Amino acid sequence: MHFDNPTLFNLLLVQALSSSLLLLLLMGLRASPAARWAQAFMGLQAVAWLALAAVEQGSARVWQTLAMAAFSASLSALWWSLRLWLKPQPGRALALLAPLLMPLVYGLQFDDASFRVAWAQFWLALQLALLMVALIWPAKQEAAPRALSDALPNTVPGVDNRHWRMMLLLACAPALVVCVLRGILGAYGKALPSLLSADAINTTLGLASHWGLSLALLALVLAWRAETESELARLAQTDGLTGLPDSRAFAARSVDMLSMARRHQEPLAMLILDIDGLKAINTEHGTQAGDRAMALFASSIQAQMRLGDLAGRISRDQFGLLMSRCEAEGPQAMDKRMRQALAERAPTELGFALNFSAGWAKLRFGDRNIDDLMLRAETALYEAKRAGHGRLQAEPGLEG
């Protein structure tokens, strides 16, 4: 099959420009950082092919050096996008260095055709290999609790990224092979013909680039869609005011913690905290002040809770804290830290003091689910309120 290389590369320029515009229209100007890096990748690809198209109109050294810089920068931008989506293994130094070092030496050694071709092609091949490593061996993602997906079947707490990763791998592989072949030809002193000439290596480059851009566009759209769905799922499980899991998500996530505590016979405590006088705060200072008090209270819980504990907003003005591996001193220590934090933060950030009552209960052998544990903790909370507020109360039979 015969391909007309001038037409092939002109179409490639049109494809890069249209793909760049399409990503911009789909993702918008206020996309996530990962999506913006993906947009930068496609935009820089368009710049690179524009620069190559301008070679015939001006200085070859300037335009070809600009093209190499744009190609290298586009691959670095794609690596940064993957870094945010997949958290790949180290490669930051190469991603930063390549767009600076490769075009600089390329431009300075432009008269040595063999060296500059080999230099540029091997650098691009190295960057493509780095991308493929990141796609094959991404950092291990934190698994979403199984109970959460069971309880919230319409959300996607962990989006499968294998499909778009495979598509991006298939986009990079042919380009890597072509770059290596062109680099070897350059290293052995073979003068590569103009891109527009009817040469097999140039046709292969054009076809590989068309293939790569087409698959990359589709893969990036799928990756952005997966990120968007994951964020929507997170928001659906999160209380908008405090940023904590809502009552439904809290109950779903607690299942795994209860199962783990029973399996390993470890103590588990449930602490329920209730802001004292919230209605009075709303009346005296306004509902916005009440909202700020709720947000500060939630922030203090997050700051004082231990790693591995689970906090959530379980009702309008109540917060739940599930404390794993927690002995009798744990709720008391948490209560003390919270009161100290509020005493320091509330007068400064709110302009008035903030206090709370709390009750706690310990997981028992006969507890069927989180509701049994929560019921006893709420009973203890009501005892704390009846005793005068501003205190911690344990369920009957426990020290508090």
Side-chain angles (χ1 to χ4, degrees):
M1 182 180 294
H2 175 73
F3 290 92
D4 179 51
N5 282 352
T7 303
L8 187 65
F9 284 101
N10 286 333
L11 290 175
L12 190 56
L13 172 58
V14 173
Q15 182 183 11
L17 288 169
S18 59
S19 297
S20 177
L21 180 60
L22 182 59
L23 280 187
L24 187 61
L25 292 175
L26 281 175
M27 299 177 178
L29 296 175
R30 297 183 179 180
S32 68
R36 286 199 296 270
W37 280 114
Q39 291 173 331
F41 158 74
M42 201 61 76
L44 287 166
Q45 282 283 317
V47 170
W49 291 109
L50 274 172
L52 287 179
V55 168
E56 303 296 329
Q57 309 300 322
S59 171
R61 180 193 294 266
V62 172
W63 289 112
Q64 287 185 212
T65 301
L66 176 60
M68 293 303 107
F71 278 129
S72 182
S74 72
L75 297 181
S76 290
L78 184 56
W79 184 89
W80 283 103
S81 186
L82 295 182
R83 180 175 181 268
L84 294 171
W85 275 329
L86 299 176
K87 298 179 175 58
Q89 298 303 315
R92 180 175 179 174
L94 180 62
L96 291 172
L97 184 63
L100 301 175
L101 181 60
M102 187 270 274
L104 176 63
V105 176
Y106 182 93
L108 292 175
Q109 298 295 321
F110 189 81
D111 293 333
D112 187 346
S114 296
F115 174 82
R116 65 176 167 85
V117 168
W119 173 262
Q121 296 301 314
F122 284 138
W123 268 102
L124 294 175
L126 183 60
Q127 288 184 266
L128 286 165
L130 180 67
L131 289 173
M132 294 180 69
V133 169
L135 290 164
I136 295 172
W137 291 294
K140 188 174 182 180
Q141 300 291 303
E142 183 178 352
R146 176 176 54 83
L148 181 60
S149 58
D150 293 339
L152 304 172
N154 294 325
T155 61
V156 281
V159 178
D160 187 357
N161 57 35
R162 288 173 297 178
H163 293 92
W164 68 260
R165 281 169 48 206
M166 180 58 66
M167 294 180 69
L168 211 48
L169 271 171
L170 293 175
C172 292
L176 173 61
V177 172
V178 172
C179 285
V180 170
L181 289 176
R182 287 172 60 85
I184 291 173
L185 291 175
Y188 279 92
K190 177 177 173 56
L192 292 176
S194 167
L195 282 179
L196 302 182
S197 63
D199 190 271
I201 191 65
N202 291 334
T203 302
T204 304
L205 173 62
L207 293 175
S209 299
H210 273 290
W211 168 267
L213 280 179
S214 298
L215 281 184
L217 174 63
L218 186 55
L220 293 176
V221 170
L222 290 176
W224 167 71
R225 178 185 173 185
E227 179 191 27
T228 303
E229 290 176 346
S230 182
E231 178 63 14
L232 289 174
R234 186 192 67 81
L235 292 174
Q237 303 154 16
T238 302
D239 173 61
L241 177 62
T242 64
L244 294 175
D246 60 18
S247 58
R248 190 180 179 195
F250 180 85
R253 296 178 192 181
S254 70
V255 174
D256 287 339
M257 293 186 67
L258 266 66
S259 299
M260 188 69 67
R262 289 192 174 110
R263 184 179 305 121
H264 298 286
Q265 297 183 346
E266 296 173 343
L268 184 75
M270 174 73 187
L271 186 65
I272 297 183
L273 307 94
D274 189 310
I275 299 176
D276 290 333
L278 184 60
K279 185 179 293 186
I281 292 174
N282 288 329
T283 301
E284 183 177 351
H285 301 281
T287 56
Q288 289 186 348
D291 289 345
R292 289 191 291 112
M294 295 283 287
L296 184 141
F297 194 79
S299 173
S300 298
I301 292 177
Q302 290 177 301
Q304 303 305 322
M305 63 188 281
R306 305 168 307 160
L307 185 65
D309 291 348
L310 172 65
R313 185 180 180 184
I314 58 177
S315 69
R316 182 180 179 277
D317 52 359
Q318 288 185 354
F319 296 84
L321 180 62
L322 204 55
M323 304 180 70
S324 61
R325 300 177 182 178
C326 178
E327 301 293 347
E329 298 81 8
Q332 298 175 21
M334 177 64 186
D335 180 80
K336 183 178 180 180
R337 293 196 303 272
M338 275 292 295
R339 296 188 190 281
Q340 290 176 345
L342 291 176
E344 294 173 1
R345 296 182 59 185
T348 302
E349 299 181 32
L350 299 177
F352 52 86
L354 197 61
N355 204 356
F356 67 94
S357 301
W360 73 279
K362 191 174 181 180
L363 181 67
R364 294 180 179 177
F365 178 76
D367 288 340
R368 296 164 297 176
N369 50 44
I370 190 64
D371 293 337
D372 294 340
L373 184 58
M374 191 177 296
L375 180 61
R376 298 198 307 277
E378 285 181 337
T379 302
L381 170 64
Y382 297 144
E383 289 296 326
K385 286 183 171 293
R386 279 195 291 266
H389 296 85
R391 55 175 295 173
L392 171 69
Q393 178 67 46
E395 67 170 316
L398 297 176
E399 297 292 332

